């Protein structure tokens, strides 16, 4: 499903990391030498006494994250300093500390997504130790591949997924009785319903760039797409492919330019996920790619009528929209406490809360989706799609090719108006 090249590389790297973890003579060390047993990690974390967690997201994410802190502090006796803000600002802070030669900082655990993690890794501000193989709850991750890659970007075990966001097609059930059930049907539907489809500027909203990367994979064929471009990332190969007419009779740019003619206010792209769903809530558009969690937040805030909300995954699928996660900075003063907090965030309790309390996001550990209370919640809440409609087949985004797509889109689509 992910392409033979990706699986082969993942297995090689995974084997190397596991081998290294089993042999303390490999030279890999923890904060104060080779990683000890987990019980000792917890004991040393309690001695550190505190942990600073930097996170970003929507207001509902902030509220859910804050609700976890008292429970963690009570269980471990470790104080949490929670800073909620902007992942870009977090990265810039670490880069400035690195440039200044600051060997001890104040950031212990950072919640972010694939592209900033890749930038942080390349800049040398990530603790380059495969600690994801140390924390016990990471053994329950839905796919061991995710301990080595995020959006197909190598993490070398220094990043652990925490939340699975997902984009779907959001449509107005009262106005649309025949939404396009597959990518093959999308263009025809948009032409038959001019002005009623949009997607947000991919540089300002993840629903937009997830839409772009999935569209490009559909146009060229998922396995062919990644086998032809290969890994590691090669900018020239991506740009060449997107200008090539694929099996569906379009190049990527040709398809998007044709689609644009029939969209809401042709040439206008909402500036972000909230701007796109605002058009939907007002009835100005009837169909758009949108995050489940954004939809959930708008319903919970009373900004979106749940009676008009329909959500589904077009066939064959929509890319897994990002499994954002956690890394420990190179100069974190409380690395043991950071590992204990990360382990707690992967606990069954917290991951179940992502579904029941936060809502609109999938857990990254096994077992949660089979709980009776989770099954019931998904049946009664309008902001879900069946998980198996995403995983059969499972398409993963390539963060680096997606990042290049976003830049090229600005020059070829947005500036062509």
């Amino acid at each position: 499903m992910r392409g033979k090249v990706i699986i082969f590389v993942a297995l090689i790297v995974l084997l190397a990391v596991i081998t290294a973890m089993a042999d303390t003579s490999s030279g890999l060390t923890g904060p104060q030498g080779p990683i000890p047993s987990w019980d000792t990690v917890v004991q040393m974390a309690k001695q550190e006494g505190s942990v600073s967690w930097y996170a970003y997201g929507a207001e509902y994410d902030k509220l859910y994250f804050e609700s976890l802190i008292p429970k963690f502090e009570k269980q471990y006796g470790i104080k949490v300093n929670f800073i909620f803000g902007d992942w870009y600002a977090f990265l810039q802070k670490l880069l400035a500390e690195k440039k200044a030669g600051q060997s001890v900082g104040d950031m212990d655990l950072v919640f972010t997504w694939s592209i900033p993690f890749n930038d942080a890794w390349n800049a040398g501000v990530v603790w380059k130790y495969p600690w994801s193989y140390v924390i016990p709850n990471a053994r329950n991750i839905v796919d061991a591949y995710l301990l080595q890659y995020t959006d197909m970007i190598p993490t070398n075990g220094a990043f652990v997924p925490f939340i699975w966001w997902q984009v779907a097609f959001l449509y107005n059930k009262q106005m649309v009785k025949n939404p396009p059930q597959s990518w093959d049907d999308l263009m025809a539907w948009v032409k038959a319903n001019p002005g009623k489809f949009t997607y947000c500027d991919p540089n300002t909203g993840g629903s937009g760039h997830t839409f772009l990367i999935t569209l490009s994979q559909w146009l060229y064929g998922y396995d062919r797409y990644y086998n032809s471009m290969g890994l590691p990332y090669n900018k020239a190969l991506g740009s060449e492919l997107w200008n090539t007419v694929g099996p569906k009779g379009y190049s990527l740019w040709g398809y998007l330019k044709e689609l644009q003619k029939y969209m809401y206010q042709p040439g206008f792209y909402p500036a972000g996920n909230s701007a796109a769903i605002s058009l939907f809530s007002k009835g100005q558009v009837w169909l758009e790619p949108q995050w489940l969690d954004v939809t959930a937040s708008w319903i919970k805030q009373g900004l979106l009528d749940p009676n008009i909300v329909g959500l589904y995954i077009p066939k064959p699928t929509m890319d897994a929209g990002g499994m954002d996660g956690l890394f420990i900075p190179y100069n974190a003063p409380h690395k043991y406490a950071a590992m204990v907090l990360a382990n707690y965030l992967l606990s069954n309790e917290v991951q179940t809360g992502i579904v029941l309390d936060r809502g609109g996001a999938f857990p990254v550990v096994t077992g949660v989706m089979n709980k009776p209370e989770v099954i019931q919640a998904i049946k009664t809440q309008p902001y879900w799609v069946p998980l198996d409609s995403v995983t059969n087949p499972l398409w993963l985004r390539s963060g680096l090719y997606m990042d290049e797509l976003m830049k090229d889109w600005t020059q070829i689509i947005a500036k062509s108006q």
Side-chain angles (χ1 to χ4, degrees):
M1 291 182 290
R2 307 184 185 101
K4 296 178 181 178
V5 173
I6 298 167
I7 294 173
F8 179 70
V9 173
L11 289 174
I12 290 176
V13 177
L14 180 59
L15 179 61
V17 171
I18 291 174
T19 301
M21 288 298 299
D23 181 5
T24 56
S25 66
S26 64
L28 295 176
T29 59
Q32 300 169 10
I35 290 291
S37 69
W38 181 248
D39 287 343
T40 304
V41 169
V42 173
Q43 181 182 357
M44 298 178 79
K46 290 179 177 180
Q47 290 177 4
E48 288 177 337
S50 66
V51 59
S52 292
W53 178 22
Y54 284 66
Y56 81 103
E59 182 64 21
Y60 266 86
D61 302 309
K62 179 175 183 287
L63 293 173
Y64 181 60
F65 297 160
E66 287 178 335
S67 74
L68 303 175
I69 292 172
K71 302 173 187 176
F72 173 81
E73 291 180 333
K74 182 178 180 180
Q75 182 173 343
Y76 290 100
I78 299 171
K79 181 174 177 54
V80 177
N81 180 30
F82 181 65
I83 299 91
F84 191 81
D86 174 13
W87 59 262
Y88 180 79
F90 300 161
L91 177 58
Q92 296 308 305
K93 174 176 166 59
L94 285 172
L95 294 176
E97 290 175 357
K98 182 75 170 181
K99 185 176 181 180
Q102 188 172 337
S103 59
V104 179
D106 55 16
M107 304 172 72
D108 294 312
L109 192 65
V110 180
F111 177 56
T112 192
W113 63 292
S114 60
I115 298 300
F117 170 80
N118 184 68
D119 293 342
W121 178 273
N122 291 336
V125 297
V126 175
W127 184 40
K128 294 186 176 181
Y129 183 79
W131 59 273
S132 66
Y133 289 94
V134 175
I135 62 176
N137 287 334
R139 299 167 192 162
N140 301 321
I141 292 291
V142 293
D143 192 331
Y145 171 90
L146 299 172
L147 298 181
Q148 277 296 304
Y149 291 89
T150 177
D151 284 343
M152 297 189 186
I153 294 170
T155 63
N156 303 287
F159 176 99
V160 66
F162 169 41
I163 294 181
W164 177 344
W165 311 116
Q166 186 59 50
V167 174
F169 274 2
L170 171 65
Y171 75 101
N172 187 318
K173 292 194 300 184
Q174 294 182 353
M175 303 304 296
V176 179
K177 304 305 178 185
N178 61 334
Q181 290 301 309
S182 72
W183 290 94
D184 292 293
D185 302 329
L186 178 62
M187 181 69 79
W189 188 93
V190 173
K191 288 184 176 182
N193 298 272
K196 296 304 180 183
F197 174 80
T198 195
Y199 65 91
C200 76
D201 182 331
N203 295 284
T204 59
S207 61
H209 57 241
T210 300
F211 171 75
L212 278 192
I213 192 71
T214 309
L215 173 64
S216 61
Q217 292 163 183
W218 167 75
L219 282 170
Y220 298 105
Y222 185 81
D223 287 335
R224 177 182 175 188
Y225 186 85
Y226 287 117
N227 287 337
S228 64
M229 292 195 293
L231 291 174
Y233 163 73
N234 185 314
K235 176 181 178 180
L237 286 175
S239 297
E240 178 182 349
L241 183 66
W242 300 322
N243 283 290
T244 302
V245 174
K248 304 294 182 180
Y250 287 98
S251 69
L252 173 63
W253 306 125
Y255 186 98
L256 290 171
K257 288 178 180 179
E258 181 69 10
L259 192 70
Q260 181 176 250
K261 298 175 185 177
Y262 306 94
M263 289 172 54
Y264 174 80
Q265 296 187 7
F268 168 78
Y269 295 90
N273 307 306
S274 292
I277 204 169
S278 177
L279 293 176
F280 179 86
S281 70
K282 297 172 184 175
Q284 293 176 288
V285 299
W286 296 344
L287 178 70
E288 65 181 43
Q290 187 55 263
W291 294 107
L292 301 184
D293 68 285
V294 172
T295 306
S297 295
W298 274 62
I299 290 173
K300 289 180 177 183
Q301 294 175 79
L303 301 173
L304 178 60
D305 180 1
N307 294 310
I308 72 169
V309 171
L311 286 159
Y312 68 99
I313 301 295
K315 291 182 172 54
T317 193
M318 179 79 78
D319 270 27
M323 298 179 188
D324 295 357
L326 308 157
F327 76 89
I328 300 173
Y330 77 106
N331 61 352
H334 308 114
K335 291 184 172 73
Y336 288 110
M339 285 190 282
V340 172
L341 176 56
N343 189 63
Y344 174 74
L345 295 176
L346 291 181
S347 67
N348 198 275
E349 173 193 358
V350 172
Q351 293 289 307
T352 301
I354 286 174
V355 180
L356 298 181
D357 301 326
R358 198 281 167 230
F362 290 115
V364 298
V365 301
T366 59
V368 171
M369 298 302 292
N370 296 324
K371 289 187 172 184
E373 63 270 32
V374 170
I375 293 172
Q376 181 61 27
I378 289 176
K379 286 180 179 178
T380 58
Q381 295 167 344
Y383 40 78
W384 291 105
V385 296
L387 181 58
D388 62 5
S389 67
V390 182
T391 58
N392 294 306
L394 176 65
W395 285 6
L396 298 177
R397 308 185 306 184
S398 166
L400 296 178
Y401 283 117
M402 185 173 68
D403 190 48
E404 190 60 34
L405 261 181
M406 293 155 63
K407 296 172 184 175
D408 288 358
W409 179 91
T410 300
Q411 299 301 318
I412 297 170
I413 301 299
K415 291 188 176 180
S416 66
Q417 299 305 302

